[in-house]
Amino acid sequence: ISLFFQSHLFSTLISVGIVALFALYVLYDTSQIMLHLGPDEWAAGALRLFIDFINMFLNILFLLTGGRRN
């Protein structure tokens, strides 16, 4: 939708939603690591959390820069 409507408010709302979604993913992945992954599967759990935090960081950075993507 944002391809057709270049709205700053819409982009901001999308980024806020993505940050909230990945915050929930962090909670879900943490519970999956604690309950279902063994001690020898630490790399898979770390990768899951790393991807969640990177996506959160990029969208928070987008919000802090005022929506400017270079």
Side-chain angles (χ1 to χ4, degrees), residues 18-34:
I18 291 172
V19 168
L21 179 69
F22 277 100
L24 293 174
Y25 276 144
V26 167
L27 293 174
Y28 175 75
D29 286 340
T30 302
S31 72
Q32 291 297 314
I33 290 168
M34 290 173 38

Side-chain angles (χ1 to χ4, degrees), residues 12-55:
T12 302
L13 290 176
I14 293 291
S15 288
V16 168
I18 291 172
V19 168
L21 179 69
F22 277 100
L24 293 174
Y25 276 144
V26 167
L27 293 174
Y28 175 75
D29 286 340
T30 302
S31 72
Q32 291 297 314
I33 290 168
M34 290 173 38
L35 299 175
H36 298 291
L37 292 181
D40 57 339
E41 298 173 326
W42 61 269
L47 184 62
R48 286 181 185 181
L49 288 176
F50 178 75
I51 290 171
D52 295 341
F53 284 120
I54 288 295
N55 285 316

